[in-house]
Amino acid sequence: MRNNSFFYFLTLNLLKEKRRFVGIVLISTLLIFLLSSVLFISSSIKTTLNSSLKAQPDFIVQNIKAGKVAPIKAEQVDKIVNIYGVNKVTKRVYGRYFFDDKYSALIVGVDFLDEQSSKKLVKIMNSVDLKSFLSKDNMLVGQGVLSYLKSHYYATNYNFLTPSGQMQKVNIFKALNAKSSLISNDMIIMPLELAQKVLGLKESELTDIALNVPNDSEWSNIKAKLESLNFSTRVVSKKDMKKAYENLFNYKGGLFLVLYLIVIATFSLLLYLRYSLASSLERKEIAILRAVGWSIKDVLELKFLENIFLVIFAFVLGSSLAYIYVFILGAPILKDIFLGGANLKQFATFTPVVDYSVLSTIFIVFAVAFLGSVLIPVWKIAVTEPKEAL
Amino acid sequence: MVTIENLNKFYEIDGQKQYVLNDIKLNIQKGECVILKGVSGSGKTTLLSIIAGLDKPSSGKVLVNGEPISKLPDMHLSAFRAEKIGIVFQNFNLLDGVSLLDNAIVPLVAAKVGLKEAKQKALNALKVANIEHKANKTPSELSGGEKQRGAIARALVANPNLILCDEPTANLDIANSLSFIQTLKELHHMGKTIIVATHDSLFEELDFKHRVVEISQGLLVDS
Ligand SMILES: Nc1ncnc2c1ncn2[C@@H]1O[C@H](COP(=O)(O)OP(=O)(O)O)[C@@H](O)[C@H]1O
Ligand SMILES: [Mg+2]
């Protein structure tokens, strides 16, 4: 065990070398900052996507008309319900409503009398008096919608313009907090029939039909059955959605490659700097220490502790700055690299997610390479006879 | 104290053995002050390095305090060097950016002495070397003579019984050189065994008991 005089000397050495180390610590911090930022952003995106995928149904059945997604007949639901192995068949009516060219909200129609649909909304509905909600044309709005309507129109109601050119007045029944993952800031929930009117659907029409297939091995079988319902039926599976999400990121691969190259180049530069510092400037210091009685082990231990301190300092500083940059400041600049033009509403801010296993991998790789670049030359110097001190 | 028998040191250059030390035989008693004299390149530094265990002989036997210094494992040798040998280097070899007091602590850190005791010992050593008034100055703030005294303090701090000095006056003016010799005399009276490698003629007329050993082209010559 080391005594206090050893640690005194270690501190002394760190303080004495601070000018020498400032550049190395700065580059290290920057490097860790960059790597951790990329890590924080990608794990946050991954988690958000996964949770939004989780909320998705296994299959969505759409109707294709003239090559475009068109409303689907509600009667299809009866046929789908009869397919063996299918459950949670849900009528879905939704669409984006553009208030002006800057602001839009997602209108979601809910069949409040259908147990299946309203089950998901149980948490929200607990705070809503369903009877009075359904007695008039009412809607529940997210906080973002409320503040938009408040500042541009009224806080009590809004006149939607339907595709057929009519006005549809809907009262704001209540604003909902975006705490539930099902409700976003820019979401409007209204009864199914009302949503149909606002979105210009007939009573017999739905946007699409969602359903689940609890048994994974039935997926392809049921997909085929769904597709054979009607020649114009299109079936989107959760797997397809997942692939689409993944593609969204992979096509940015080139930029990531550049980023990684920058990181690797900086890291090599850092290791080179550290290596040459250890093999030149520290050579005399080590020879002196050895000459006045320090063993090889003493020298290696001093240098190890000295540099592990630098590594930890740079790592803590770099990753904390990255945390602030990504999760508090919303990662300006880097965000554009990641998401590019893809205007994904769910990434207005990044949900704080820290992937500790990747973070510790970064730490270990950084620490091992950094310490290696110091301890190898130090060891080489320390084991040679320290006669050059004389 | 120091026993050297059949010591050889050579470097292999183009397949040829270049002898730097040739069959050296030397016996130094405890408390002796030996002046190792010789022109530049005669092998003085090499001999001191081998005695201090900083360099390895090509062949021969070197005992310091009864220990076969060239055969000790590093841990053992380093501890021995930290506690039993004090070295004053030609170019002082103080650590830059570190005060004289902290420089003087360095051997004690290796000897695992606690900080409080180490500081006390370092301060005492600075007193003996007559430089305690500059204890908090770093080498860059000091003159050659002051650095020299700082280096002496470091060499004395662990209270070693063998003190090796390599060209101690080479970088000093005459006044500082004479003052160094005065310090040497005090160390001699303290009973330290001293070896000074030098080609400075000031060491030829010391006013205390000493032995002069001359080395020439790696050979000891009687004088
Ligand atoms: N690594 C080495 N390789 C070859 N020759 C060396 C080496 N180190 C020292 N020498 C030679 O050893 C001789 C003695 O050197 P040194 O002991 O420093 O002499 P002094 O201290 O008396 O001036 C010199 O001729 C020098 O060139
Ligand atoms: Mg010499």
Side-chain angles (χ1 to χ4, degrees):
Chain A
M1 239 353 262
R2 287 299 175 182
N3 63 9
N4 55 351
S5 59
F6 184 84
F7 289 107
Y8 171 76
F9 189 73
L10 173 68
T11 325
L12 201 70
N13 222 34
L14 279 167
L15 289 176
K16 147 177 101 91
E17 306 294 2
K18 61 179 180 290
R19 245 173 291 123
R20 229 194 253 177
F21 291 143
V22 129
I24 281 167
V25 166
L26 274 181
I27 300 176
S28 308
T29 305
L30 191 75
L31 199 71
I32 295 297
F33 168 77
L34 210 64
L35 274 176
S36 317
S37 296
V38 170
L39 165 72
F40 288 156
I41 293 173
S42 63
S43 52
S44 176
I45 289 176
K46 224 190 272 167
T47 312
T48 309
L49 284 185
N50 278 342
S51 67
S52 64
L53 267 179
K54 220 182 245 166
Q56 293 286 343
D58 294 341
F59 286 99
I60 293 168
V61 181
Q62 297 173 329
N63 182 35
I64 302 291
K65 195 172 171 186
K68 282 191 297 190
V69 178
I72 188 166
K73 291 269 176 271
E75 63 200 44
Q76 298 278 9
V77 171
D78 303 329
K79 292 188 199 166
I80 293 169
V81 170
N82 285 327
I83 298 175
Y84 184 76
V86 155
N87 74 4
K88 293 189 184 163
V89 181
T90 315
K91 300 172 179 176
R92 302 208 309 182
V93 170
Y94 61 88
R96 197 154 273 283
Y97 185 90
F98 290 85
F99 291 93
D100 56 37
D101 55 359
K102 283 207 189 71
Y103 189 70
S104 68
L106 184 69
I107 295 179
V108 177
V110 175
D111 185 354
F112 287 96
L113 301 176
D114 175 58
E115 208 186 311
Q116 206 54 259
S117 315
S118 51
K119 208 154 72 181
K120 284 186 188 168
L121 298 169
V122 131
K123 254 189 220 152
I124 302 154
M125 298 327 287
N126 278 345
S127 62
V128 174
D129 174 6
L130 199 57
K131 219 173 222 171
S132 67
F133 178 68
L134 293 177
S135 67
K136 269 169 94 197
D137 287 341
N138 283 321
M139 61 180 168
L140 302 168
V141 298
Q143 292 292 342
V145 179
L146 182 71
S147 64
Y148 174 82
L149 291 180
K150 242 186 206 166
S151 63
H152 291 77
Y153 302 95
Y154 314 103
T156 53
N157 63 72
Y158 180 74
N159 281 303
F160 288 96
L161 186 62
T162 70
S164 55
Q166 288 163 316
M167 299 296 264
Q168 175 65 52
K169 182 178 168 187
V170 182
N171 297 312
I172 299 173
F173 190 77
K174 202 173 169 175
L176 298 167
N177 286 325
K179 269 182 196 146
S180 156
S181 64
L182 287 168
I183 305 300
S184 89
N185 233 8
D186 299 320
M187 202 183 234
I188 299 172
I189 292 176
M190 53 177 74
L192 199 73
E193 302 75 31
L194 188 55
Q196 284 172 321
K197 276 185 212 163
V198 172
L199 295 168
L201 295 172
K202 293 189 196 120
E203 260 177 63
S204 61
E205 288 177 339
L206 306 170
T207 308
D208 56 32
I209 300 164
L211 59 112
N212 277 0
V213 175
N215 185 352
D216 279 11
S217 58
E218 289 286 315
W219 276 37
S220 56
N221 178 21
I222 284 177
K223 191 176 183 200
K225 278 187 186 159
L226 290 169
E227 277 165 342
S228 66
L229 280 177
N230 197 312
F231 75 94
S232 64
T233 301
R234 177 173 180 253
V235 180
V236 182
S237 74
K238 201 185 217 172
K239 283 175 188 157
D240 299 332
M241 291 184 250
K242 197 172 175 189
K243 232 172 255 165
Y245 276 142
E246 280 164 1
N247 285 343
L248 191 66
F249 292 104
N250 289 345
Y251 89 96
K252 293 280 174 193
L255 278 165
F256 278 106
L257 202 64
V258 172
L259 204 65
Y260 289 137
L261 285 179
I262 292 173
V263 165
I264 289 168
T266 318
F267 196 42
S268 317
L269 173 76
L270 177 73
L271 294 187
Y272 172 76
L273 280 178
R274 194 63 197 90
Y275 185 94
S276 47
L277 190 62
S279 38
S280 61
L281 277 170
E282 286 167 51
R283 174 170 232 114
K284 191 187 166 204
E285 182 196 351
I286 293 166
I288 293 173
L289 291 178
R290 296 276 289 123
V292 300
W294 285 52
S295 66
I296 296 169
K297 186 170 159 278
D298 293 336
V299 171
L300 286 176
E301 226 171 291
L302 176 78
K303 289 290 156 184
F304 175 80
L305 290 173
E306 188 181 292
N307 287 283
I308 197 87
F309 175 83
L310 296 182
V311 164
I312 291 172
F313 181 82
F315 190 81
V316 169
L317 187 64
S319 54
S320 314
L321 286 175
Y323 190 95
I324 293 170
Y325 168 73
V326 173
F327 297 129
I328 296 173
L329 304 178
I333 303 170
L334 261 190
K335 183 181 176 175
D336 293 336
I337 296 180
F338 267 86
L339 299 174
N343 190 14
L344 297 177
K345 285 274 176 193
Q346 61 256 61
F347 302 120
T349 56
F350 292 107
T351 320
V353 177
V354 177
D355 186 338
Y356 288 101
S357 65
V358 183
L359 199 62
S360 42
T361 307
I362 292 182
F363 177 76
I364 289 165
V365 170
F366 175 66
V368 166
F370 191 92
L371 290 174
S373 75
V374 184
L375 294 182
I376 290 169
V378 164
W379 176 77
K380 276 204 266 178
I381 296 165
V383 293
T384 53
E385 312 298 341
K387 60 175 173 182
E388 45 195 293
L390 275 168
Chain B
M1 183 81 214
V2 178
T3 309
I4 299 170
E5 275 167 30
N6 312 108
L7 172 65
N8 286 296
K9 175 75 182 177
F10 55 79
Y11 291 99
E12 201 100 30
I13 294 167
D14 299 330
Q16 281 222 314
K17 285 180 182 173
Q18 298 261 330
Y19 278 84
V20 174
L21 295 176
N22 202 335
D23 202 27
I24 302 281
K25 191 187 261 276
L26 183 63
N27 230 307
I28 298 169
Q29 300 302 313
K30 191 174 182 321
E32 248 192 304
C33 177
V34 173
I35 307 299
L36 187 63
K37 142 180 147 168
V39 296
S40 185
S42 53
K44 303 184 295 293
T45 298
T46 308
L47 184 55
L48 283 189
S49 299
I50 289 171
I51 294 171
L54 297 172
D55 200 357
K56 294 249 184 290
S58 304
S59 67
K61 194 165 121 185
V62 181
L63 296 178
V64 179
N65 240 2
E67 298 268 7
I69 193 136
S70 61
K71 297 198 173 70
L72 296 177
D74 176 66
M75 287 293 286
H76 203 147
L77 171 61
S78 298
F80 185 77
R81 193 152 58 221
E83 290 160 28
K84 299 281 165 34
I85 305 176
I87 308 172
V88 178
F89 304 92
Q90 174 172 357
N91 46 7
F92 318 128
N93 274 341
L94 295 167
L95 292 172
D96 293 328
V98 174
S99 72
L100 282 191
L101 184 71
D102 290 333
N103 257 294
I105 284 174
V106 175
L108 299 178
V109 175
K112 300 186 170 56
V113 176
L115 184 60
K116 206 170 162 214
E117 190 188 344
K119 287 214 170 191
Q120 193 51 55
K121 284 188 167 176
L123 208 57
N124 282 340
L126 289 170
K127 264 182 206 149
V128 172
N130 228 334
I131 193 71
E132 83 271 23
H133 55 290
K134 296 281 166 85
N136 295 316
K137 297 273 187 252
T138 60
S140 62
E141 299 168 310
L142 299 171
S143 72
E146 289 168 333
K147 278 190 249 193
Q148 166 81 296
R149 276 178 261 163
I152 294 169
R154 183 179 61 188
L156 295 177
V157 75
N159 197 24
N161 38 29
L162 178 62
I163 293 176
L164 307 176
C165 307
D166 192 19
E167 310 273 9
T169 56
N171 291 313
L172 299 183
D173 58 24
I174 183 81
N176 276 312
S177 297
L178 289 171
S179 136
F180 175 80
I181 287 170
Q182 203 50 42
T183 308
L184 210 58
K185 186 174 169 181
E186 284 162 27
L187 294 178
H188 175 68
H189 289 315
M190 285 161 76
K192 306 278 181 205
T193 311
I194 301 167
I195 307 175
V196 181
T198 185
H199 63 267
D200 189 336
S201 54
L202 276 179
F203 286 87
E204 276 161 25
E205 308 131 46
L206 297 179
D207 61 348
F208 57 93
K209 191 161 177 287
H210 65 284
R211 169 151 71 114
V212 177
V213 172
E214 192 172 347
I215 184 169
S216 171
Q217 296 184 318
L219 287 161
L220 281 194
V221 281
D222 294 321
S223 51

